[in-house]
Amino acid sequence: KVFRMAFQIAETGFDPARISDIYSRIVTSHIFEALYGYDPLARPARLVPRIATALPETNADFTEHRIQIRRGIYFQDDPAFKGAQRELTAQDFIYALMRFADPKTTSPMWATLEEQGIVGLTELRRRALEAKQAFNYDARIEGLQAPDRYTLVFKLKAPRPRLVEVLAQGDLFGAVAREVVEAYGEDIPAHPVGTGPYRLARWRRSSLIVLERNPSYREVYY
């Protein structure tokens, strides 16, 4: 019951906002979960909900996307949660996406997210750069909203009918808990905590990566 795989090139870490290499992304895709994914057997390719309950509800010109997320999904157990079971909420996706915009993160994938035209996100990043101040994660922006615990609303500057395909990249755009990032600081690449079926058990950089089954993962049926 062990699968072994050799990487040709060393990984860089397991913080989704700070990676772009394929080998790190292979690992994070098993630890984090996106709103959407792909049916592995469907031909042609077919998007299916993962964390979301259904495909987005959009307005006529695809500048607003409303997504409902499933209730009762929990992050992997971690000391950052201080013994409590931590439920996933819509705000965790907002925080995860904001991390790509934070200049301190120096995300190599920021351009991909910026291209989607989320209203207010680029401006929030620009204010942090110009003022040379910390990025304001508590700022409310029009383009990323959580009207309730399980609802996520995107508002975009221009029509983006394929936004859902961007959000289906679980290796990059899975939910991240703010308290985990704040607990581990600059060491966060070594402490990925998601809602996925696997968790990082051991890591020796460029030598060994061990993933083990997440015992708190929910039952999922194909």
Side-chain angles (χ1 to χ4, degrees), residues 17-194:
R18 293 185 176 182
I19 61 175
S20 61
D21 64 287
I22 188 64
Y23 295 109
S24 297
R25 293 175 64 176
I26 287 174
V27 175
T28 56
S29 69
H30 292 80
I31 297 172
F32 297 92
E33 289 182 297
L35 291 160
Y36 300 98
Y38 290 89
D39 183 333
L41 301 182
R43 297 295 183 273
R46 182 169 69 92
L47 281 162
V48 292
R50 292 281 189 246
I51 297 296
T53 60
L55 292 176
E57 299 174 10
T58 64
N59 60 358
D61 66 354
F62 293 96
T63 57
E64 183 173 323
H65 302 246
R66 180 177 292 265
I67 299 168
Q68 299 293 325
I69 70 171
R70 299 181 189 276
R71 299 167 185 253
I73 293 179
Y74 296 91
F75 283 97
Q76 301 157 13
D77 294 336
D78 189 85
F81 301 133
K82 300 178 180 178
Q85 196 176 32
R86 173 62 156 79
E87 187 182 20
L88 171 71
T89 69
Q91 192 62 45
D92 294 316
F93 282 101
I94 292 178
Y95 175 72
L97 293 173
M98 279 187 164
R99 293 192 66 234
F100 286 84
D102 186 347
K104 184 179 178 181
T105 305
T106 59
S107 174
M109 302 303 292
W110 161 240
T112 298
L113 188 60
E114 183 180 29
E115 187 181 10
Q116 305 312 307
I118 297 173
V119 175
L121 188 57
T122 298
E123 291 75 14
L124 187 62
R125 172 185 170 87
R126 186 179 301 120
R127 287 198 295 272
L129 287 168
E130 292 175 350
K132 297 181 180 180
Q133 295 178 347
F135 187 84
N136 185 5
Y137 284 97
D138 297 314
R140 295 183 178 273
I141 62 173
E142 185 179 356
L144 283 174
Q145 299 179 24
D148 61 54
R149 189 174 176 86
Y150 305 105
T151 304
L152 187 60
V153 179
F154 292 85
K155 294 186 178 180
L156 311 176
K157 298 175 183 177
R160 288 287 176 182
R162 296 176 65 182
L163 175 68
V164 64
E165 296 179 15
V166 175
L167 300 178
Q169 299 179 72
D171 52 350
L172 296 175
F173 300 125
V176 175
R178 182 171 181 172
E179 51 265 60
V180 172
V181 177
E182 292 179 348
Y184 293 110
E186 290 302 311
D187 200 32
I188 190 63
H191 296 277
V193 178

